[in-house]
Amino acid sequence: LKKIRYLFTQLGADNTGAITYEMLNQHIRTPAVRIYFESLGLDVTDAWSFFKLLDSDGGGAVEVEEFLLGCLRLRGHARAMDIAKLTYDQTWLIKSQGKFQQFVEEELQGLNNKV
């Protein structure tokens, strides 16, 4: 946990208590940060996907708790990252499909009322 907290501060979270995608993307290519991620067993070749998986509340910033839990959850082989990304994508698709379905039903109801 100390390593993960240190990494979090290295990404620029000292001032705000959270990191943004821009902060992560800026630091993720540096050798020191990449080595740190690798020492934690994290494959972060795709910064955007990694950030979205860490940002569990979808707020656009990752707080220290999200970062800690996310790094612990995603540790290990790349397969864990792939499964987490698939889960995220599927959840997003289900939510989007639900919103679309609700929109279509409301529009059909409006048309039905006019007829």
Side-chain angles (χ1 to χ4, degrees), residues 34-77:
R34 186 161 293 280
I35 289 169
Y36 235 86
F37 274 122
E38 288 173 5
S39 75
L40 295 170
L42 292 166
D43 177 19
V44 291
T45 53
D46 182 356
W48 176 250
S49 294
F50 183 66
F51 182 80
K52 295 310 278 178
L53 292 171
L54 292 176
D55 188 16
S56 59
D57 66 2
V62 176
E63 291 80 23
V64 68
E65 185 176 325
E66 286 178 306
F67 189 79
L68 288 169
L69 293 175
C71 286
L72 291 173
R73 186 180 73 239
L74 297 171
R75 282 174 35 167
H77 299 289

Side-chain angles (χ1 to χ4, degrees), residues 10-38:
Q10 290 296 104
L11 294 172
D14 279 344
N15 301 332
T16 63
I19 58 169
T20 62
Y21 169 70
E22 290 78 20
M23 294 165 84
L24 176 68
N25 197 38
Q26 178 183 1
H27 291 92
I28 204 164
R29 291 183 182 90
T30 62
V33 171
R34 186 161 293 280
I35 289 169
Y36 235 86
F37 274 122
E38 288 173 5

Side-chain angles (χ1 to χ4, degrees), residues 94-109:
I94 290 169
K95 286 180 184 178
S96 296
Q97 182 64 32
K99 289 177 184 177
F100 177 74
Q101 184 176 359
Q102 182 179 358
F103 169 78
V104 169
E105 287 176 5
E106 290 171 1
E107 291 296 316
L108 288 175
Q109 186 63 38

